[in-house]
Amino acid sequence: MLIFDNAFCRELPGDADERNVARQVHGACWSRVMPTPVAAPRLLAYSREMAGRLGLQEGWLGAPENLAAFAGNAILPGMEPYASCYGGHQFGHWAGQLGDGRAISLGEVVNEAGERWELQLKGAGPTPFSRRADGRAVLRSSLREFLCSEAMHHLGVPTTRALTLVGTGEEVLRDMFYDGHPELEPGAVVCRVAPSFLRFGHFELPAARGDLALLRRLVDFAVLHHFPAWQGKPLEDWFQEVCERTGRLVARWMQVGFVHGVMNTDNMSLLGLTIDYGPYGWVEDFDPGWTPNTTDAAGRRYCFGRQPEIARWNLERLAEALALLHPGGDLSSSLRHYDEAYHAELARLFAGKLGWVEWKDGDAELLGELFELMQEGELDMTEFFRQLPHVDDEEAALAHLAQAAYRPERWQGVAMGLHAWLGRYRQRLAQEGLAAGARRTAMNTFNPRYVLRNYLAQQAIDAAEAGDVSRIEALLEVLRRPYEEQPGQEAFAAKRPEWARSRAGCSMLSCSS
C-alpha cells in the first residue's frame, strides 16, 4: 500500500483553471490534470529494488487495479495528479513557459523510513503545458529511460529512478529522425521516481515574470523539504549546496562517459540528479566533441566535453533568478563552489580510474596526454579503462589495451605513443606503493565493465517491440552489476553508432565558460 503526503500541491499555489487545454499558467506552481486512459495496459518491466524501497510487496504492481494506476487508467487512494509549471533556457535561449508537457505527477509517497518519493507518469496524456503535443510517449523512448535510470543508479551516478514500464496497447505517431517521415510506434508509459522533480526552470519562470512572492515560496518549499539543514541560513549558502551537488553530478557523468544530450535548464535537477533521459548516450570511441543529440549536430552545445561548462552556465541562469530575492547580494561568488566541487570530484574519480590513491601535481598533464592518444586512436573509453589495470607485464600491456581499438590502422598510429605514456604511467604508479592485485581491485570499482551501450538499448527495444520482454530483464541483470566481470554475459562488442562523429576541441578538465 502506498501512503501519500502531497506537500507540493498542499503548500504551493495551484492553477484555479482546471481545463486541460494548452495555455499560459500564471501565479501557480501546478495544474490539476488527470491521466488519459489507454486501451490495453501491460506491465513490461519494473524495478524490484525501487518497489521494495517504496514498501511494495512482490506481485503488488501486477494486480489489475494497481497496474491500472501506473498506466493512467485509475487513481489510487491518496493520489492527486498534477502537472508542474516551469520555464527554461533551451540551447542557450530563453524559451519562456515550458512545464510538464507529457509528465503527470501522481503524488508524493512517504515510505516507512520517512523518505519522500514523487511518482510521475511520463506519456500519460496531454497537460496544459503540452502545447501542440499529444502528451504520449513511445515504447522506444520509454524503455530507454527505464533502462538508463537503472543503469546510472548502479553505476553510482545520482539519478531519478524508474518503477514501472507499461505498454499501452496503442500506437503513437512519431517522426523519429525529424525528417518529415512520421511512423506509428507502440506506445508506453514509464513511472519515474525521485525525491523531487524540481528543476532550475521552476525558479527561472517566476523570476522572469517578476513574481517574487511565488519565487520565494518555491525556495522556502525546496529548503524545507529537500535541504532542511539550510533552513534559516542565507540564500547564498543554500545555492552553494546546489552548485556543489551539480558539480559532483557532472564529474560522475565524465567518469563513466555519459552524455546527457540536452542540458537545457529545464532538464537540470535542483537536487543534483540526472533527470530527463532523452537523446542520451555513452562515449564509445573517445571523442570530447561527441553528442547523441542529432538536433545538436551542428553546434554541439551539449557534447561530452562541454558538459562541465554548460552546467556552470545553467547555474549562472539560476543564480540570476535567485538574485531577485537577494538584493545587494552576490550569488555569483557561490559559483566557485561548483568549480571546486567539480574539480575535486573529477580528480578523485580519475585518480581511482588510474589506480592512484590521490591526485598529485602533474597528474592532469599525464591524463591530458592520455586523452589525446585515446581520441587520436579512436579507443573505446569504457574498455580502455577496464583494461588499464593490466599493465604490470610490459610485454602484454599493449595487447590488453588494443582490445579497446575499433580500427587497426588508428591503433597502429598511437601504439608507440601509448608505449611511451605507459612508461611514465608506471613511474607514477610506483609512487603509490600498492600491490598489483590490490590496485586492480581498487581500479575496477571506478571503471565499469558494462555501460548501457547504444546497441544494447536498441536490441532491447527491438525485442520489446516484437513482443519479447525477456530481453529487458536480461539486460537489467547486466546493468545492475556494471563493475563485475559477469561471466557468461555479453562481452564487449565494438559497435559504432549510426550517426556521424566529429572532432571538436572540448576539454573535460575545464568547467569555466
Side-chain angles (χ1 to χ4, degrees):
M1 182 177 180
L2 297 172
I3 305 300
F4 286 88
D5 177 52
N6 302 316
F8 190 85
C9 291
R10 185 176 65 248
E11 298 176 18
L12 292 170
D15 183 7
D17 187 348
E18 295 195 0
R19 295 175 303 143
N20 190 0
V21 295
R23 53 197 161 80
Q24 292 291 305
V25 174
H26 292 268
C29 294
W30 52 271
S31 297
R32 187 76 64 199
V33 59
M34 296 296 290
T36 303
V38 301
R42 177 192 176 199
L43 183 62
L44 303 179
Y46 75 98
S47 169
R48 290 180 176 84
E49 185 180 55
M50 196 65 239
R53 194 80 174 264
L54 294 172
L56 301 180
Q57 295 182 345
E58 186 74 22
W60 187 91
L61 287 166
E65 64 275 16
N66 300 326
L67 174 60
F70 292 97
N73 285 21
I75 300 300
L76 297 179
M79 288 182 173
E80 298 181 46
Y82 68 91
S84 70
C85 183
Y86 51 83
H89 281 83
Q90 298 191 325
F91 293 91
H93 302 284
W94 176 242
Q97 177 182 292
L98 297 168
D100 289 331
R102 58 174 176 165
I104 298 175
S105 291
L106 299 175
E108 301 159 51
V109 171
V110 179
N111 66 9
E112 290 184 355
E115 297 172 329
R116 182 176 296 272
W117 294 99
E118 181 178 341
L119 306 183
Q120 187 179 88
L121 300 184
K122 187 173 182 180
T127 77
F129 309 105
S130 296
R131 299 182 294 281
R132 294 178 299 276
D134 60 11
R136 290 302 192 190
V138 297
L139 175 59
R140 166 176 47 85
S141 62
S142 301
L143 178 52
R144 280 174 54 83
E145 173 147 1
F146 182 89
L147 291 170
C148 195
S149 58
E150 290 303 284
M152 293 285 273
H153 171 74
H154 290 284
L155 284 166
V157 181
T159 179
T160 59
R161 298 294 299 277
L163 176 62
T164 57
L165 176 68
V166 177
T168 65
E170 301 175 350
E171 293 189 314
V172 180
L173 189 65
R174 286 291 183 270
D175 187 352
M176 184 192 305
F177 298 108
Y178 303 99
D179 60 359
H181 296 88
E183 296 182 2
L184 289 171
E185 299 186 48
V189 177
V190 63
C191 178
R192 49 189 185 179
V193 186
S196 173
F197 288 92
L198 280 172
R199 307 145 186 272
F200 291 7
H202 276 102
F203 302 84
E204 288 184 284
L205 184 59
R209 290 171 167 174
D211 191 347
L212 302 192
L214 184 58
L215 178 60
R216 168 53 68 186
R217 291 186 68 173
L218 268 167
V219 170
D220 290 345
F221 175 87
V223 173
L224 173 64
H225 289 285
H226 305 294
F227 300 85
W230 278 260
Q231 279 190 279
K233 295 184 178 180
L235 182 66
E236 56 265 35
D237 289 358
W238 168 68
F239 180 61
Q240 174 181 321
E241 172 66 14
V242 174
C243 290
E244 291 176 358
R245 290 191 188 192
T246 304
R248 291 191 292 268
L249 170 67
V250 177
R252 282 284 189 176
W253 290 356
M254 307 309 281
Q255 171 211 355
V256 298
F258 175 76
V259 191
H260 185 282
V262 59
M263 290 176 65
N264 296 326
T265 59
D266 57 295
N267 293 334
M268 295 292 294
S269 161
L270 190 74
L271 275 59
L273 307 173
T274 313
I275 194 171
D276 280 357
Y277 290 100
Y280 67 79
W282 265 269
V283 169
E284 293 184 345
D285 59 292
F286 187 80
D287 179 3
W290 180 71
T291 174
N293 189 343
T294 55
T295 62
D296 193 26
R300 302 187 186 276
R301 177 179 177 83
Y302 299 137
C303 65
F304 177 53
R306 292 194 69 189
Q307 291 183 129
E309 168 195 343
I310 294 299
R312 194 184 201 280
W313 189 93
N314 290 340
L315 284 165
E316 290 170 355
R317 306 291 76 75
L318 179 58
E320 291 171 354
L322 297 175
L324 298 179
L325 301 177
H326 194 51
D330 183 15
L331 289 178
S332 63
S333 62
S334 296
L335 289 166
R336 67 179 174 82
H337 293 281
Y338 166 77
D339 301 336
E340 292 168 357
Y342 170 75
H343 284 296
E345 184 70 354
L346 192 76
R348 183 186 74 84
L349 294 170
F350 271 87
K353 288 176 76 68
L354 291 158
W356 304 333
V357 175
E358 60 181 355
W359 190 265
K360 296 183 178 180
D361 292 341
D363 287 347
E365 181 179 354
L366 192 61
L367 180 58
E369 292 174 4
L370 175 60
F371 286 157
E372 291 178 3
L373 289 165
M374 290 175 65
Q375 183 173 3
E376 184 180 347
E378 293 188 4
L379 304 183
D380 184 273
M381 180 178 176
T382 301
E383 186 69 3
F384 181 90
F385 279 106
R386 191 67 181 193
Q387 294 297 332
L388 189 59
H390 304 284
V391 296
D392 301 288
D393 184 339
E394 191 168 344
E395 295 297 321
L398 282 179
H400 277 287
L401 297 181
Q403 296 180 52
Y406 284 89
R407 294 197 288 169
E409 64 272 20
R410 298 300 291 258
W411 168 255
Q412 292 301 324
V414 298
M416 291 301 296
L418 271 172
H419 178 76
W421 181 87
L422 284 170
R424 297 190 294 276
Y425 173 60
R426 290 192 189 93
Q427 292 176 1
R428 175 65 180 85
L429 287 177
Q431 298 175 17
E432 301 294 338
L434 287 176
R439 174 175 51 76
R440 289 193 196 103
T441 299
M443 290 175 71
N444 284 344
T445 65
F446 288 87
N447 294 314
R449 178 68 180 88
Y450 295 95
V451 295
L452 182 55
R453 292 187 179 273
N454 305 306
Y455 81 96
L456 289 173
Q458 190 58 53
Q459 286 179 354
I461 292 167
D462 292 343
E465 289 182 342
D468 178 10
V469 297
S470 64
R471 178 72 184 178
I472 301 175
E473 186 59 36
L475 180 53
L476 283 172
E477 281 302 306
V478 175
L479 299 176
R480 286 171 183 146
R481 296 179 289 149
Y483 294 95
E484 301 176 17
E485 289 294 343
Q486 303 182 61
Q489 298 288 359
E490 287 184 275
F492 164 78
K495 299 281 186 175
R496 297 188 65 87
E498 295 178 359
W499 44 82
R501 295 175 178 268
S502 78
R503 306 293 171 187
C506 301
S507 173
M508 60 185 281
L509 297 176
S510 173
C511 63
S512 58
S513 55

